[in-house]
Amino acid sequence: MPLNHTHVIYDNFVLANEIEDQYNSHLDLVRFCTVDNSLVGVAGDKKLIHVYQATNGTEKLAMGAGNTKNIEVSYAPQEYVITLAQNRFPYYDEEVMKDPMVVPVGLKHMATDMFNTVQDEIFAEFNKATVKVHTGSTSTAIAFAHFADAVAKFNLENIEGVEIFAFVNPADMAALRKTLKDDLKYVESFVRTGYIGTVAGVNLYTKRNADAGTIVIGMRDAVTLFNKKGVEVEQERDPNTRLNEIYSRKYYLAALTDTTKVVKIVRNAPSLIAAAIVGSPKVGVSSALTLTLDGTPVGGNPTYAYVWEIADTVDGTFTAISGATTATYTPAEGDAAKFIRCKVTASVLGLGTITTAPKVVAAA
């Protein structure tokens, strides 16, 4: 490292000493997640974490009818690798003699940069949310109803005393304030950096590097920061060249440990997962087939109306049949049942319609 060329320094002390604000976000995301300080190990060690998920099970029932499906909780083992975050700050004695701000600025940014690195990984885990509420199009504003729908996804009996928070890109804030108007309340007990108000029980915070057009809503149980306590600091000095080097390092890993505790509001239209056919048509056999979606629409809503359409041949005309997320169909006997095609359209007020591509299954 060439002498006296480590940093750009002031030649004139008349210049004002200013320290740049280099935080990617002023939010300390550690307070928004669960912290586990029991982490042991070194960089590269693997940790197996159980990531919890839950299935939807709410059904609309006629009188005398009962549920046909349950809300089921399961976990999937997810492998994470312990991260070592380290940074280095070198400086020469001569640089400090010429500009004493070199060291305090460098040390401050060592902490800032370490902070940003850990925060980015925490937010990346929140950003993995798979449960979504869609506005219907990119031009539709995010409104009170979308926040209410997002909170409903948590399946909480009572949100009293439960902290639910959301991260909002600053560019979206003006539009959100205009849309929410009096629905956006300011709660004095939540006066913290970045807090802008509460809507539908959700405390909103600005976050500089949040995605525009997407609001991430979560609870503390969603993400866990597995942390090895403390930050190691080490300093080296070469007396011959008068080069000083300071290292700081931290061992940690951030993990999305409960996918049921984080939801996204996305300013776009949902997509519909392709239809699947259980079994296959058989030539000359008139047997019922089960038609099912591989999944409900992303951000699915129980008020979706489904229209299934079936064709007995690849080039045949589609015919509508009844069904919701599943349907049954009995193909005609003979050569007409060599192939079957199905597609499904889902529609809901305010979201328009979405249709799968036709699914073709050959006869057995």
Side-chain angles (χ1 to χ4, degrees):
M1 197 174 292
L3 186 62
N4 286 336
H5 289 288
T6 305
H7 309 288
V8 176
I9 60 178
Y10 285 129
D11 284 326
N12 188 340
F13 285 102
V14 175
L15 296 175
N17 292 323
E18 295 182 0
I19 300 177
E20 181 185 0
D21 176 13
Q22 293 170 314
Y23 281 87
N24 293 333
S25 170
H26 283 295
L27 281 181
D28 181 1
L29 295 189
V30 173
R31 65 165 296 272
F32 294 107
C33 64
T34 300
V35 178
D36 184 333
N37 286 322
S38 64
L39 183 66
V40 294
V42 297
D45 283 356
K46 296 176 181 178
K47 185 176 178 69
L48 200 61
I49 296 171
H50 289 167
V51 179
Y52 286 88
Q53 299 175 323
T55 61
N56 293 330
T58 303
E59 300 171 89
K60 292 185 174 182
L61 303 176
M63 185 173 63
N67 284 96
T68 60
K69 57 184 179 180
N70 303 317
I71 292 177
E72 298 176 354
V73 176
S74 62
Y75 69 84
Q78 183 73 43
E79 192 176 85
Y80 283 83
V81 178
I82 295 177
T83 300
L84 166 61
Q86 177 175 289
N87 54 30
R88 177 180 63 188
F89 169 57
Y91 64 91
Y92 288 97
D93 289 353
E94 288 86 346
E95 292 176 316
V96 179
M97 291 180 214
K98 195 169 187 179
D99 184 355
M101 286 300 294
V102 167
V103 172
V105 172
L107 293 177
K108 179 178 184 295
H109 192 64
M110 286 183 80
T112 298
D113 201 33
M114 186 72 73
F115 172 91
N116 285 336
T117 300
V118 176
Q119 302 299 303
D120 283 347
E121 293 205 26
I122 293 174
F123 185 66
E125 294 302 310
F126 275 110
N127 222 8
K128 289 180 180 178
T130 55
V131 180
K132 299 177 182 177
V133 171
H134 296 260
T135 62
S137 71
T138 55
S139 60
T140 302
I142 295 174
F144 180 93
H146 299 120
F147 285 95
D149 287 344
V151 172
K153 299 287 185 185
F154 293 128
N155 290 320
L156 300 173
E157 291 185 1
N158 189 351
I159 65 171
E160 189 73 28
V162 177
E163 184 180 3
I164 304 174
F165 45 80
F167 305 125
V168 184
N169 183 291
D172 291 332
M173 283 315 308
L176 202 56
R177 283 192 172 104
K178 291 176 183 177
T179 303
L180 296 176
K181 298 179 181 176
D182 292 340
D183 288 327
L184 183 63
K185 312 296 183 183
Y186 193 82
V187 182
E188 291 295 334
S189 60
F190 282 92
V191 177
R192 298 187 179 100
T193 301
Y195 173 73
I196 54 163
T198 299
V199 57
V202 180
N203 303 316
L204 306 186
Y205 294 86
T206 54
K207 189 166 194 322
R208 293 185 184 180
N209 54 348
D211 295 331
T214 299
I215 295 177
V216 179
I217 300 176
M219 299 172 62
R220 284 175 55 90
D221 295 343
V223 174
T224 302
L225 176 65
F226 295 91
N227 179 58
K228 192 173 183 178
K229 275 193 170 181
V231 175
E232 299 176 9
V233 178
E234 183 179 346
Q235 185 166 356
E236 296 178 352
R237 174 178 168 78
D238 182 345
N240 186 44
T241 62
R242 299 160 307 285
L243 173 63
N244 305 272
E245 292 182 297
I246 301 175
Y247 295 84
S248 69
R249 62 183 67 91
K250 185 173 186 63
Y251 294 90
Y252 70 96
L253 68 85
L256 176 62
T257 47
D258 193 340
T259 61
T260 68
K261 300 297 175 62
V262 59
V263 179
K264 280 184 179 179
I265 299 177
V266 185
R267 204 169 60 235
N268 65 9
S271 60
L272 193 63
I273 302 173
I277 299 176
V278 179
S280 68
K282 294 177 172 57
V283 175
V285 177
S286 181
S287 59
L289 299 171
T290 299
L291 315 173
T292 182
L293 287 173
D294 289 339
T296 54
V298 176
N301 185 308
T303 60
Y304 272 99
Y306 297 91
V307 176
W308 287 81
E309 295 178 272
I310 301 295
D312 275 349
T313 59
V314 172
D315 57 354
T317 302
F318 282 103
T319 302
I321 64 169
S322 60
T325 55
T326 61
T328 57
Y329 178 70
T330 303
E333 296 182 5
D335 289 344
K338 285 182 179 179
F339 295 93
I340 185 172
R341 289 188 301 155
C342 68
K343 66 181 180 179
V344 61
T345 299
S347 61
V348 67
L349 182 65
L351 291 181
T353 59
I354 45 179
T355 305
T356 65
K359 178 105 175 179
V360 180
V361 175

